[in-house]
Amino acid sequence: MQAVQFTAHGGRDVIEYGEFPDPEIDRDEALVDVKAGALNHLDVWTRRGLPGLDLPFPHVPGSDMAGVVREVGDDVTRVSPGDRVALLAGVAGGDDESDGAAAFPRRDDPTLSPGFHIIGEDTRGVHSEYAAVPASNLVPVPDHVPWEVAGSVSLVFQTAWRMLIHRADLRAGERVLVHGASGGVGHAAVQIADYAGCEVYATASSEAKLEHAADCGADHGINYETDDFARSIYELTDGRGVDVVVDHVGEATYEGSLKCLRKGGRFVTCGATTGPNPDAALNRIFVHQLEIIGSTMATPEQAEEVLELVWDGVFEPRIRETLPMSETARAHELIENREGFGKVVVIPDSEL
Ligand SMILES: NC(=O)c1ccc[n+]([C@@H]2O[C@H](COP(=O)([O-])OP(=O)(O)OC[C@H]3O[C@@H](n4cnc5c(N)ncnc54)[C@H](OP(=O)(O)O)[C@@H]3O)[C@@H](O)[C@H]2O)c1
């Protein structure tokens, strides 16, 4: 089959699209005929290499895809050949007895299991013509949902849903600041905060991106390239601050984010695109009694909650560009250069 792959970490030039051995399925797996996938910032981190990430090469990247089940393993009852499905990329891990994590499984919340990992980051991904994945990681996709939608929403919408609804415990009427509203997580968070009945303040680097953010439900847009966003929040809220900040940007926004919070406010983070080591500012945290909340991916139940809302049309991914998988290097360029708004979709060349 044809697959996106790389044989070393590095720049965009390591990305290739070419022949890769056809995947074989285990008893608990399904083989999916991939119709569409999408890039996440994670694909950039994985390509560049991360501390502790020791991948067998060649590595096939990709954590989001949707397609049609072609074949299932002997133990699979959850899906059948012909089913339309999308991937939930989080895997609890720890099933292997030789793995120390097996001693501490968290069946109630797999994201807290010591062996939790993400398909495409820690194991072979799904940006290929076919993908063999655990059947328990597949969710049904109704017939009316286009492949570009089904293949692009899972990772970022489940992440934003858990962050806002289950971790930050968002309440109607609260003020929420969402950074990086043009990104995958950001544009999902804007939609979810708006749906939850909140007053949404969004930051982005251009007026065009802020217009898209308004279309997603942002009530106020702040261009962080031209304005000090903490000052803007102070003015827009008459000095009261926001209840919740959604931050996946990290070092570049952390200090300002804390300044934006009212006393007792919540800072919720799932990422650190600009770096993971900001000045901790403990004095502001204890004086203002702030809560710092981490969040990663979602449980299967939480993911299915938000995907049902996508299938029902309540939430809608914005698509920056749709490219053949052979142009995955361009997809990385769009993300790294912060060009456009929303998700970058990739489709196997044979499907075009
Ligand atoms: N823990 C988890 O489960 C999880 C899940 C998903 C994502 N993440 C992490 O969350 C981050 C976002 O992921 P994504 O896929 O949504 O990425 P993305 O689509 O590439 O979006 C990144 C966003 O960050 C903004 N940004 C970049 N540099 C900035 C700066 N200096 N100041 C302000 N904003 C800046 C960009 O805004 P502009 O376009 O306005 O410049 C862009 O919208 C990544 O670090 C990713 O690894 C973690």
Side-chain angles (χ1 to χ4, degrees):
M1 68 169 180
Q2 300 284 299
V4 181
Q5 54 198 289
F6 48 85
T7 51
H9 295 296
R12 293 191 287 270
D13 56 343
V14 302
I15 301 168
E16 294 172 23
Y17 187 66
E19 272 304 315
F20 193 88
D22 286 344
E24 287 175 16
I25 50 172
D26 287 337
R27 299 180 68 86
D28 62 345
E29 288 187 327
L31 186 67
V32 180
D33 192 356
V34 176
K35 299 294 183 186
L39 277 286
N40 292 288
H41 213 96
L42 180 60
D43 292 294
V44 172
W45 300 133
T46 306
R47 187 205 78 217
R48 290 181 188 164
L50 290 163
L53 185 64
D54 185 17
L55 292 173
F57 290 125
H59 177 69
V60 175
S63 304
D64 267 328
M65 69 87 181
V68 178
V69 175
R70 169 174 283 245
E71 195 183 326
V72 296
D74 290 346
D75 295 345
V76 173
T77 53
R78 181 180 168 87
V79 294
S80 305
D83 287 358
R84 287 165 56 94
V85 291
L87 181 72
L88 306 180
V91 178
D95 291 335
D96 178 356
E97 289 303 321
S98 66
D99 179 353
F104 306 102
R106 284 290 301 261
R107 302 284 175 227
D108 58 330
D109 190 341
T111 67
L112 298 176
S113 283
F116 182 76
H117 59 273
I118 299 175
I119 292 171
E121 179 187 19
D122 306 272
T123 59
R124 183 185 303 158
V126 293
H127 287 176
S128 47
E129 285 182 292
Y130 305 105
V133 294
S136 56
N137 282 68
L138 294 171
V139 291
V141 175
D143 288 344
H144 70 271
V145 180
W147 289 123
E148 284 190 7
V149 171
S152 66
V153 287
S154 173
L155 192 144
V156 293
F157 273 87
Q158 67 175 280
T159 299
W161 183 255
R162 176 178 170 94
M163 279 179 95
L164 293 169
I165 304 300
H166 294 277
R167 299 286 291 142
D169 196 19
L170 213 56
R171 297 295 147 129
E174 290 193 306
R175 297 190 186 89
V176 181
L177 168 61
V178 179
H179 284 301
S182 66
V185 172
H187 91 308
V190 168
Q191 294 182 53
I192 291 166
D194 179 50
Y195 170 77
C198 297
E199 181 95 2
V200 184
Y201 302 76
T203 71
S205 58
S206 74
E207 297 306 316
K209 291 175 184 176
L210 289 172
E211 279 176 31
H212 285 297
D215 183 54
C216 287
D219 301 291
H220 310 272
I222 302 166
N223 183 333
Y224 66 79
E225 292 287 6
T226 55
D227 295 318
D228 173 347
F229 71 84
R231 163 64 45 189
S232 299
I233 288 291
Y234 184 83
E235 288 167 3
L236 288 166
T237 62
D238 295 326
R240 282 175 292 204
V242 297
D243 301 282
V244 174
V245 176
V246 177
D247 197 328
H248 50 84
V249 176
E251 283 178 18
T253 48
Y254 175 82
E255 190 186 348
S257 293
L258 295 194
K259 287 183 186 164
C260 291
L261 285 167
R262 66 155 169 84
K263 286 196 171 184
R266 289 104 78 202
F267 172 96
V268 60
T269 173
C270 73
T273 307
T274 60
N277 293 308
D279 186 7
L282 289 177
N283 52 346
R284 182 168 285 274
I285 293 171
F286 65 73
V287 170
H288 291 257
Q289 303 191 59
L290 306 178
E291 289 180 51
I292 307 293
I293 304 169
S295 194
T296 278
M297 298 292 281
T299 67
E301 294 77 17
Q302 292 164 353
E304 289 188 51
E305 284 166 10
V306 71
L307 290 181
E308 283 300 324
L309 292 167
V310 176
W311 309 154
D312 288 348
V314 174
F315 300 134
E316 184 193 344
R318 303 306 196 265
I319 309 291
R320 289 186 212 202
E321 207 160 315
T322 299
L323 297 167
M325 281 189 183
S326 58
E327 292 181 30
T328 294
R330 171 64 185 145
H332 282 237
E333 187 178 38
L334 284 165
I335 290 173
E336 289 180 291
N337 292 349
R338 292 145 67 182
E339 294 176 44
F341 189 99
K343 301 295 297 175
V344 184
V345 170
V346 286
I347 294 185
D349 290 41
S350 54
E351 291 288 334
L352 290 167

